[in-house]
Amino acid sequence: MGYSGSTQARPERTRAERLTEGLIVAVAAVLSLGLLAGPAVVFGTTAWHLVTDTGTTAFSRLLAPVVCLALVALPFVLARVAFRSSRRKDRERLTAAVPAVLTLLGASVVPFVALCMIFVYAD
């Protein structure tokens, strides 16, 4: 229960393991930001048209940008939660970044699929 005085050395990882994790983080980050770019542009222009349209109410002028911003920001919030959770488990930064970036990639698919469904089912 108390301090035993012994320290445990963390085993060193090879350069190939660090390089593989770095590549996973880089590729997944680029893919997720690419998936989020389309919905961000479409939802942003939709929000702009709703805000500047003359026939909309004050509630819809406020609600449309908030919903669009939430759809685009949600993957980043989830990725931060995953990163902080991994850091609390005493993992190295890069090792903690892998689950966070994969969470970002998985969560960025949701707005992209929502955008595709809007395009498919819109009349």
mmCIF file of all heavy atoms in Angstrom, residues 73-98:
data_model
loop_
_atom_site.group_PDB
_atom_site.id
_atom_site.type_symbol
_atom_site.label_atom_id
_atom_site.label_comp_id
_atom_site.label_asym_id
_atom_site.label_seq_id
_atom_site.Cartn_x
_atom_site.Cartn_y
_atom_site.Cartn_z
ATOM 1 N N ALA A 73 -17.746 19.632 -34.740
ATOM 2 C CA ALA A 73 -16.849 19.650 -33.575
ATOM 3 C C ALA A 73 -16.910 18.371 -32.755
ATOM 4 O O ALA A 73 -15.970 18.079 -32.006
ATOM 5 C CB ALA A 73 -17.188 20.841 -32.694
ATOM 6 N N LEU A 74 -17.967 17.596 -32.875
ATOM 7 C CA LEU A 74 -18.126 16.391 -32.063
ATOM 8 C C LEU A 74 -16.970 15.398 -32.200
ATOM 9 O O LEU A 74 -16.479 14.883 -31.188
ATOM 10 C CB LEU A 74 -19.460 15.718 -32.383
ATOM 11 C CG LEU A 74 -19.769 14.450 -31.597
ATOM 12 C CD1 LEU A 74 -19.953 14.793 -30.120
ATOM 13 C CD2 LEU A 74 -21.004 13.775 -32.150
ATOM 14 N N PRO A 75 -16.475 15.112 -33.403
ATOM 15 C CA PRO A 75 -15.344 14.182 -33.492
ATOM 16 C C PRO A 75 -14.101 14.650 -32.740
ATOM 17 O O PRO A 75 -13.383 13.853 -32.149
ATOM 18 C CB PRO A 75 -15.069 14.090 -34.997
ATOM 19 C CG PRO A 75 -16.356 14.428 -35.636
ATOM 20 C CD PRO A 75 -16.998 15.440 -34.740
ATOM 21 N N PHE A 76 -13.853 15.964 -32.740
ATOM 22 C CA PHE A 76 -12.682 16.478 -32.040
ATOM 23 C C PHE A 76 -12.838 16.352 -30.522
ATOM 24 O O PHE A 76 -11.882 16.075 -29.815
ATOM 25 C CB PHE A 76 -12.427 17.934 -32.433
ATOM 26 C CG PHE A 76 -12.028 18.081 -33.866
ATOM 27 C CD1 PHE A 76 -12.932 18.529 -34.805
ATOM 28 C CD2 PHE A 76 -10.748 17.745 -34.280
ATOM 29 C CE1 PHE A 76 -12.570 18.661 -36.129
ATOM 30 C CE2 PHE A 76 -10.375 17.868 -35.602
ATOM 31 C CZ PHE A 76 -11.283 18.322 -36.530
ATOM 32 N N VAL A 77 -14.048 16.543 -30.031
ATOM 33 C CA VAL A 77 -14.302 16.384 -28.597
ATOM 34 C C VAL A 77 -14.108 14.927 -28.182
ATOM 35 O O VAL A 77 -13.471 14.631 -27.158
ATOM 36 C CB VAL A 77 -15.720 16.885 -28.244
ATOM 37 C CG1 VAL A 77 -16.081 16.556 -26.818
ATOM 38 C CG2 VAL A 77 -15.838 18.375 -28.505
ATOM 39 N N LEU A 78 -14.639 14.016 -28.977
ATOM 40 C CA LEU A 78 -14.471 12.592 -28.674
ATOM 41 C C LEU A 78 -13.004 12.166 -28.732
ATOM 42 O O LEU A 78 -12.549 11.370 -27.899
ATOM 43 C CB LEU A 78 -15.299 11.750 -29.638
ATOM 44 C CG LEU A 78 -16.812 11.885 -29.518
ATOM 45 C CD1 LEU A 78 -17.496 11.091 -30.610
ATOM 46 C CD2 LEU A 78 -17.277 11.454 -28.154
ATOM 47 N N ALA A 79 -12.258 12.701 -29.688
ATOM 48 C CA ALA A 79 -10.837 12.365 -29.790
ATOM 49 C C ALA A 79 -10.062 12.895 -28.586
ATOM 50 O O ALA A 79 -9.152 12.230 -28.082
ATOM 51 C CB ALA A 79 -10.255 12.928 -31.077
ATOM 52 N N ARG A 80 -10.421 14.065 -28.102
ATOM 53 C CA ARG A 80 -9.743 14.606 -26.927
ATOM 54 C C ARG A 80 -10.027 13.751 -25.693
ATOM 55 O O ARG A 80 -9.136 13.500 -24.882
ATOM 56 C CB ARG A 80 -10.183 16.041 -26.675
ATOM 57 C CG ARG A 80 -9.476 16.595 -25.470
ATOM 58 C CD ARG A 80 -9.700 18.029 -25.255
ATOM 59 N NE ARG A 80 -8.927 18.405 -24.073
ATOM 60 C CZ ARG A 80 -9.124 19.462 -23.389
ATOM 61 N NH1 ARG A 80 -10.038 20.303 -23.752
ATOM 62 N NH2 ARG A 80 -8.398 19.722 -22.330
ATOM 63 N N VAL A 81 -11.256 13.293 -25.558
ATOM 64 C CA VAL A 81 -11.597 12.422 -24.427
ATOM 65 C C VAL A 81 -10.789 11.128 -24.495
ATOM 66 O O VAL A 81 -10.255 10.662 -23.480
ATOM 67 C CB VAL A 81 -13.114 12.140 -24.407
ATOM 68 C CG1 VAL A 81 -13.450 11.032 -23.446
ATOM 69 C CG2 VAL A 81 -13.872 13.401 -24.068
ATOM 70 N N ALA A 82 -10.664 10.557 -25.679
ATOM 71 C CA ALA A 82 -9.885 9.317 -25.829
ATOM 72 C C ALA A 82 -8.408 9.560 -25.540
ATOM 73 O O ALA A 82 -7.743 8.731 -24.909
ATOM 74 C CB ALA A 82 -10.061 8.762 -27.235
ATOM 75 N N PHE A 83 -7.879 10.691 -25.963
ATOM 76 C CA PHE A 83 -6.466 11.000 -25.718
ATOM 77 C C PHE A 83 -6.203 11.190 -24.229
ATOM 78 O O PHE A 83 -5.242 10.652 -23.677
ATOM 79 C CB PHE A 83 -6.064 12.254 -26.488
ATOM 80 C CG PHE A 83 -4.618 12.624 -26.298
ATOM 81 C CD1 PHE A 83 -3.629 11.884 -26.891
ATOM 82 C CD2 PHE A 83 -4.273 13.715 -25.531
ATOM 83 C CE1 PHE A 83 -2.296 12.218 -26.725
ATOM 84 C CE2 PHE A 83 -2.943 14.062 -25.353
ATOM 85 C CZ PHE A 83 -1.958 13.313 -25.954
ATOM 86 N N ARG A 84 -7.062 11.938 -23.555
ATOM 87 C CA ARG A 84 -6.868 12.164 -22.124
ATOM 88 C C ARG A 84 -7.024 10.871 -21.330
ATOM 89 O O ARG A 84 -6.324 10.657 -20.352
ATOM 90 C CB ARG A 84 -7.826 13.236 -21.630
ATOM 91 C CG ARG A 84 -7.485 14.614 -22.182
ATOM 92 C CD ARG A 84 -8.469 15.671 -21.735
ATOM 93 N NE ARG A 84 -8.482 15.849 -20.298
ATOM 94 C CZ ARG A 84 -7.709 16.708 -19.644
ATOM 95 N NH1 ARG A 84 -6.857 17.436 -20.319
ATOM 96 N NH2 ARG A 84 -7.805 16.830 -18.344
ATOM 97 N N SER A 85 -7.927 10.014 -21.759
ATOM 98 C CA SER A 85 -8.090 8.730 -21.089
ATOM 99 C C SER A 85 -6.837 7.873 -21.238
ATOM 100 O O SER A 85 -6.401 7.221 -20.280
ATOM 101 C CB SER A 85 -9.300 7.996 -21.663
ATOM 102 O OG SER A 85 -9.367 6.688 -21.172
ATOM 103 N N SER A 86 -6.244 7.875 -22.410
ATOM 104 C CA SER A 86 -5.023 7.107 -22.626
ATOM 105 C C SER A 86 -3.851 7.700 -21.860
ATOM 106 O O SER A 86 -2.986 6.967 -21.375
ATOM 107 C CB SER A 86 -4.679 7.056 -24.117
ATOM 108 O OG SER A 86 -5.660 6.351 -24.813
ATOM 109 N N ARG A 87 -3.806 9.015 -21.734
ATOM 110 C CA ARG A 87 -2.709 9.647 -20.987
ATOM 111 C C ARG A 87 -2.806 9.359 -19.489
ATOM 112 O O ARG A 87 -1.798 9.294 -18.808
ATOM 113 C CB ARG A 87 -2.692 11.160 -21.211
ATOM 114 C CG ARG A 87 -2.258 11.581 -22.585
ATOM 115 C CD ARG A 87 -0.816 11.304 -22.849
ATOM 116 N NE ARG A 87 0.008 12.210 -22.069
ATOM 117 C CZ ARG A 87 1.295 12.058 -21.884
ATOM 118 N NH1 ARG A 87 1.916 11.039 -22.421
ATOM 119 N NH2 ARG A 87 1.987 12.907 -21.170
ATOM 120 N N ARG A 88 -4.022 9.202 -18.994
ATOM 121 C CA ARG A 88 -4.198 8.873 -17.571
ATOM 122 C C ARG A 88 -3.696 7.467 -17.259
ATOM 123 O O ARG A 88 -3.422 7.158 -16.111
ATOM 124 C CB ARG A 88 -5.664 9.001 -17.162
ATOM 125 C CG ARG A 88 -6.030 10.405 -16.815
ATOM 126 C CD ARG A 88 -7.399 10.467 -16.187
ATOM 127 N NE ARG A 88 -8.136 11.485 -16.916
ATOM 128 C CZ ARG A 88 -9.215 11.291 -17.638
ATOM 129 N NH1 ARG A 88 -9.744 10.113 -17.718
ATOM 130 N NH2 ARG A 88 -9.793 12.278 -18.263
ATOM 131 N N LYS A 89 -3.596 6.628 -18.269
ATOM 132 C CA LYS A 89 -3.112 5.254 -18.067
ATOM 133 C C LYS A 89 -1.588 5.185 -18.177
ATOM 134 O O LYS A 89 -1.032 4.116 -18.360
ATOM 135 C CB LYS A 89 -3.751 4.318 -19.095
ATOM 136 C CG LYS A 89 -5.247 4.195 -18.927
ATOM 137 C CD LYS A 89 -5.835 3.323 -20.009
ATOM 138 C CE LYS A 89 -7.342 3.273 -19.880
ATOM 139 N NZ LYS A 89 -7.960 2.580 -21.001
ATOM 140 N N ASP A 90 -0.908 6.314 -18.087
ATOM 141 C CA ASP A 90 0.555 6.412 -18.151
ATOM 142 C C ASP A 90 1.136 5.892 -19.457
ATOM 143 O O ASP A 90 2.158 5.219 -19.469
ATOM 144 C CB ASP A 90 1.217 5.687 -16.974
ATOM 145 C CG ASP A 90 1.215 6.535 -15.722
ATOM 146 O OD1 ASP A 90 1.053 7.764 -15.848
ATOM 147 O OD2 ASP A 90 1.383 5.965 -14.632
ATOM 148 N N ARG A 91 0.492 6.192 -20.528
ATOM 149 C CA ARG A 91 1.047 5.828 -21.833
ATOM 150 C C ARG A 91 1.850 7.004 -22.366
ATOM 151 O O ARG A 91 1.628 8.146 -21.997
ATOM 152 C CB ARG A 91 -0.068 5.496 -22.823
ATOM 153 C CG ARG A 91 -0.784 4.218 -22.488
ATOM 154 C CD ARG A 91 -1.768 3.897 -23.569
ATOM 155 N NE ARG A 91 -2.487 2.668 -23.274
ATOM 156 C CZ ARG A 91 -3.534 2.272 -23.945
ATOM 157 N NH1 ARG A 91 -3.995 2.972 -24.955
ATOM 158 N NH2 ARG A 91 -4.136 1.156 -23.626
ATOM 159 N N GLU A 92 2.776 6.708 -23.261
ATOM 160 C CA GLU A 92 3.527 7.777 -23.904
ATOM 161 C C GLU A 92 2.603 8.564 -24.816
ATOM 162 O O GLU A 92 1.543 8.103 -25.205
ATOM 163 C CB GLU A 92 4.683 7.182 -24.712
ATOM 164 C CG GLU A 92 5.729 6.518 -23.854
ATOM 165 C CD GLU A 92 6.835 5.926 -24.686
ATOM 166 O OE1 GLU A 92 6.903 6.217 -25.893
ATOM 167 O OE2 GLU A 92 7.628 5.166 -24.131
ATOM 168 N N ARG A 93 3.043 9.761 -25.183
ATOM 169 C CA ARG A 93 2.196 10.647 -25.976
ATOM 170 C C ARG A 93 1.770 10.024 -27.296
ATOM 171 O O ARG A 93 0.618 10.081 -27.672
ATOM 172 C CB ARG A 93 2.937 11.950 -26.255
ATOM 173 C CG ARG A 93 2.553 13.063 -25.360
ATOM 174 C CD ARG A 93 3.203 14.336 -25.845
ATOM 175 N NE ARG A 93 2.267 15.299 -26.341
ATOM 176 C CZ ARG A 93 1.402 15.956 -25.598
ATOM 177 N NH1 ARG A 93 1.314 15.706 -24.332
ATOM 178 N NH2 ARG A 93 0.605 16.845 -26.128
ATOM 179 N N LEU A 94 2.716 9.457 -28.010
ATOM 180 C CA LEU A 94 2.380 8.895 -29.315
ATOM 181 C C LEU A 94 1.501 7.666 -29.177
ATOM 182 O O LEU A 94 0.566 7.465 -29.943
ATOM 183 C CB LEU A 94 3.661 8.556 -30.078
ATOM 184 C CG LEU A 94 3.479 8.166 -31.539
ATOM 185 C CD1 LEU A 94 2.746 9.254 -32.299
ATOM 186 C CD2 LEU A 94 4.813 7.894 -32.178
ATOM 187 N N THR A 95 1.761 6.847 -28.181
ATOM 188 C CA THR A 95 0.921 5.671 -27.952
ATOM 189 C C THR A 95 -0.483 6.086 -27.551
ATOM 190 O O THR A 95 -1.455 5.434 -27.921
ATOM 191 C CB THR A 95 1.547 4.790 -26.850
ATOM 192 O OG1 THR A 95 2.891 4.485 -27.226
ATOM 193 C CG2 THR A 95 0.785 3.505 -26.679
ATOM 194 N N ALA A 96 -0.623 7.185 -26.825
ATOM 195 C CA ALA A 96 -1.940 7.680 -26.447
ATOM 196 C C ALA A 96 -2.646 8.345 -27.625
ATOM 197 O O ALA A 96 -3.872 8.413 -27.655
ATOM 198 C CB ALA A 96 -1.815 8.673 -25.293
ATOM 199 N N ALA A 97 -1.878 8.820 -28.597
ATOM 200 C CA ALA A 97 -2.479 9.512 -29.733
ATOM 201 C C ALA A 97 -3.138 8.553 -30.717
ATOM 202 O O ALA A 97 -4.052 8.940 -31.433
ATOM 203 C CB ALA A 97 -1.432 10.347 -30.459
ATOM 204 N N VAL A 98 -2.680 7.311 -30.757
ATOM 205 C CA VAL A 98 -3.237 6.360 -31.726
ATOM 206 C C VAL A 98 -4.726 6.110 -31.492
ATOM 207 O O VAL A 98 -5.530 6.256 -32.420
ATOM 208 C CB VAL A 98 -2.429 5.046 -31.742
ATOM 209 C CG1 VAL A 98 -3.115 3.998 -32.579
ATOM 210 C CG2 VAL A 98 -1.026 5.300 -32.260
#
